[in-house]
Amino acid sequence: MKKSTLLYFLILFSGAIGTSNAQKQNTWPVLKSYDQNHLDRIAMPIGGIGTGTVSMSGYGALIDWEVMSRPAKGYNPIYAGVEVINRAPFFSIYLKEENKEAQALLLEGPVPIRFDEGYYGSTAPNHGLPRFKEAIFQTAYPFGQVLLSDQDLPVEVTVGAFNPLIPGNIEDSSLPMAVLSYKVKNTSSKPITISLAGNIPNFIGFDGKEGKAYQNINTYKEENGLKGIHYTASEEIDKESMQWGTFSMMTNSKEEISYRTAWKPGEWGNSTLEFWDDYTDDGLLEERTSDQKNNMGSLAVKTTLAPNEEKDIRFFITWNFPNRSAWRNDKENVGNFYATQFKDSWEVAQKHVARIPELEQKTKTFVNAFINSDTPEIIKEAALFNLAHFRTQLAFKTNSGYYLGWEGIKDNEGSGDGTCTHVWNYEQTIPFLFGEVAKNMREVEFKYATNEQGLMSYRIHLPLKTKGTNFGLAAADGQMGSIMKYYREWQLSGDDEFLKENWGNVKKALEFCWIPNGWDPDKDGVMEGSQHNTMDVEYYGPNPQMGFWYLGALRATEEMANYLGDKKLAKTCESLYNNGSKWMDKNLFNGEYYVQEIVPPMHLDSIAKGLIRVKKRLIADDPQYQLGEGVLVDQLVGQVMAHILDLGYLADKNNIKKTNESVLKYNYREDLMKHPNFMRSYAYGHESALLMAAYPGKRPKQPFPYYTEVMTGFEHTAAVSMLYEGQEKEALKTIQDIRNRYDGKKRNPFNEAEYGHHYARSMMAWAGVLANSGFHYSGVEKSMTFTSKSGTYFWSNGYSWGTCKVENKAAVLTVLSGQLELTSFSLEGVGTKKMKNKIMNSSNTLKIKL
């Protein structure tokens, strides 16, 4: 039947498409849309903080089943283990029009061409089953929607998926659940009968890498308005293994329900054929029994749609896998905290499905407030989409209640263990959205990873109480950044008890710089010893990257010491800071940017214990892998952090701005086709990017290993630096170049990679929101600051959040969630309004005239 085409399918160009019209037609927020030519790589993670995820593809399939405490890119559980058939999880629709033969299709768009060729033909999951002709992906994380249409069909379908995400509300943002919405609209002039069916094999026991297929148990259950399949494990599976647990698929629909707890066994493709015949007969499923491994469970919802009627039929997938290895040590089970909150996956649903409308609305309130702000679109995209990283297998919470994370994740294992301090330094998303999580992570660093001498292990072993300091190596940037982060968490929370609890180890971590043969043994405010850092090498001699981190740590410690009455330490920090700042401007700034002064250690005995990772690599009188006179893309990262923390300039303001200009002048490549890169390629060909380093002058024979690479977290850092220096055009171009590379066609928009997928460093992107709005909040002083530039800005301090409209030297401050205390409000360059201790709760608005 020919049907009219909706507005959002009138697309006259390819690529990411505009969203203003489309957004008005959707109840879920939309920040960006991707046309059918830009869907292949999209995989939006769906899951809570520390729970694992399943992902929604750009064409509507559920892929990458990463729910068993392990990354599982490309893992799609297969029914009965039959590789040729590749019968993976799928949702389908049965259609019956009057006087026409019934038909059924997957609720997916066309198969991406990357699956076309394999030794058995297509390698796509469910490759041979009918599909819709057209698909568009729309998203504003955590909401993802695939708009399916087909001129030969009497329906249009919007396949939606999300998991609640509410800043400040950790518990409700940590649910092991995927909420699936199937909005089906009858576009014909006659009633039609439809039946939606979810089909998932019981893959408990195999996580995509470890384990095998078992004869697990599928049980149909009805309880408190929920009806569905509960998947449990065979008795053969070790209850301490990461592959042991439960998951469930259910619906709360009041329409006609049918199900199968098994598919009928059959050779070749006969199992699917038998299911398909049953399904297309009348849209109802008849029960079957089977002792096959990885047996399929199916759940169907049948209803009728009047002409032009639309119904939203919802399914829910929940899971509970309680076991987690201590990094790569399978003999040590640190557990998953989320799993301690529920008996099993069915209880997850019983406790929370009824709450989904409330949580969905709160999530929409957050996302709408954020995307409707006047922050440039590309900053919003980078910040919001990289937020997804935190809710993947990148991060987890142990049974003991502590948050940790990998640097990134490989296809089926973590990458870079130990919440690596020199990587997680860059992350600016969690503290401003989930403050208690950030405080928890600082406790891990200072309570468990810092030894009596003040050495903070930059990789933190598990269990924390017995092995937290076992790594025994310090990173100069990681340790100094952790001090600055501790200051940040104290300021945002205003929690003096938090400050005092680990203050002793914060002091030790700074004083560690001054040990003999350490980072600053002569105590002059200049880092000059063996400085292991995020380039995975040691720098020898003063350099901007470590230097600015050190200056920032001195400033932060000075502020904390003054507050706690430790005047002696505060005075020491002030003196070292002043001397170090002047020294760097005089000795490291070459008129365009900051350089490294290489100072060979001459012999190993001049390096303190714990400050060099690979001793055999050191040529003592001519150390390799140095920066030298190169233009380092993120040499100002410590200054960026100081701006975020409102600590002011760490060096001459003009030099900082000139350095940004030099990074653009020397590191920018409009086209990488002729760029020689000797390491990993995260950008190449006709893509634009900032190189890790450039050498307009003398280059060391063997610079640090990554100098020819491109990595997004460092580019975001450079862009944020530009924003803070008023170089907005250049900053937006830098961020746009990044996001152009993650366009859905070439790479996944929710997966900025470095040493692994969903790399932690890329969560620096949230700082773009802070820099653009000029937002600062101190829970200690109960003060808030914004730019005086007119506009509506989203703000969040990790505990409360809302919007602020700035216009004509006045502001309208709105709290949308949480509680906010204020005694002063400032607009940059305008002034400060003092007020009595003002307490604002959710939905409160305050008009402020300066």
Side-chain angles (χ1 to χ4, degrees), residues 4 26 46 53 95 120 151 185 232 297 316 339 341 372 378 406 411-412 432 505 593 644 665 718 756 801 809 815 820:
S4 61
N26 287 273
I46 314 162
T53 60
L95 299 169
Y120 280 130
Q151 63 182 4
K185 182 175 182 179
T232 54
F316 307 87
Q341 308 302 297
N372 291 330
I378 197 62
W406 303 91
D411 286 352
N412 53 25
F432 289 92
N505 276 358
Y593 57 92
I644 292 169
K665 177 181 178 181
W801 49 274
K809 298 181 180 181
V815 175
L820 178 69

Side-chain angles (χ1 to χ4, degrees), residues 698-746:
K698 183 180 179 182
R699 194 205 81 190
K701 184 177 181 180
Q702 291 180 336
F704 70 94
Y706 310 131
Y707 83 100
T708 58
E709 289 188 355
V710 169
M711 291 185 266
T712 69
F714 295 99
E715 291 178 285
H716 283 301
T717 302
V720 173
S721 182
M722 295 172 206
L723 286 171
Y724 275 118
E725 303 311 320
Q727 299 156 313
E728 183 173 300
K729 180 180 178 181
E730 296 84 351
L732 297 183
K733 174 68 165 60
T734 299
I735 302 171
Q736 186 68 63
D737 285 342
I738 298 171
R739 297 307 301 171
N740 284 348
R741 304 197 298 265
Y742 290 83
D743 64 353
K745 182 176 183 178
K746 294 176 289 187

Side-chain angles (χ1 to χ4, degrees), residues 54-190:
V54 61
S55 292
M56 171 181 248
S57 75
Y59 50 94
L62 294 180
I63 61 174
D64 298 346
W65 290 72
E66 305 177 77
V67 296
M68 295 183 188
S69 303
R70 184 195 297 280
K73 297 301 177 190
Y75 173 51
N76 302 302
I78 299 175
Y79 162 63
V82 182
E83 180 184 0
V84 180
I85 306 301
N86 203 354
R87 190 64 62 235
F90 68 93
F91 280 74
S92 55
I93 185 169
Y94 158 91
L95 299 169
K96 181 65 174 72
E97 302 175 73
E98 288 184 6
N99 302 317
K100 290 188 178 182
E101 187 176 342
Q103 58 182 315
L105 307 88
L106 298 194
L107 286 162
E108 299 176 18
V111 173
I113 59 173
R114 62 188 168 96
F115 291 118
D116 281 1
E117 187 175 32
Y119 57 84
Y120 280 130
S122 173
T123 61
N126 306 306
H127 41 73
L129 300 182
R131 299 161 183 265
F132 284 74
K133 288 183 179 179
E134 304 289 338
I136 294 174
F137 183 79
Q138 297 185 330
T139 184
Y141 181 78
F143 295 104
Q145 302 177 86
V146 178
L147 281 54
L148 298 174
S149 67
D150 192 316
Q151 63 182 4
D152 297 324
L153 298 175
V155 295
E156 291 171 338
V157 182
T158 300
V159 179
F162 89 104
N163 177 285
L165 176 61
I166 307 160
N169 185 340
I170 299 168
E171 182 177 353
D172 288 335
S173 301
S174 304
L175 301 180
M177 173 187 293
V179 181
L180 306 177
S181 164
Y182 293 91
K183 294 180 181 177
V184 185
K185 182 175 182 179
N186 180 358
T187 57
S188 74
S189 59
K190 296 180 179 180

Side-chain angles (χ1 to χ4, degrees), residues 210-235:
E210 302 288 342
K212 64 178 185 178
Y214 289 91
Q215 292 178 343
N216 294 317
I217 303 165
N218 301 344
T219 306
Y220 178 73
K221 299 184 71 169
E222 294 187 8
E223 186 177 2
N224 297 324
L226 294 180
K227 300 177 182 180
I229 311 294
H230 183 48
Y231 299 80
T232 54
S234 164
E235 291 294 329

Side-chain angles (χ1 to χ4, degrees), residues 540-603:
Y540 295 96
N543 63 87
Q545 191 176 36
M546 259 43 68
F548 282 119
W549 276 122
Y550 184 30
L551 294 178
L554 288 167
R555 280 287 295 113
T557 305
E558 177 191 351
E559 294 290 331
M560 291 184 283
N562 270 324
Y563 186 85
L564 292 173
D566 192 340
K567 302 301 180 184
K568 182 179 179 181
L569 178 60
K571 188 173 181 180
T572 297
C573 290
E574 181 185 18
S575 175
L576 295 184
Y577 163 76
N578 287 332
N579 189 69
S581 177
K582 293 174 184 176
W583 193 95
M584 285 185 63
D585 278 331
K586 181 180 179 180
N587 295 277
L588 298 188
F589 189 73
N590 69 0
E592 289 188 287
Y593 57 92
Y594 292 87
V595 299
Q596 178 195 11
E597 180 184 303
I598 301 175
V599 180
M602 302 314 291
H603 49 79

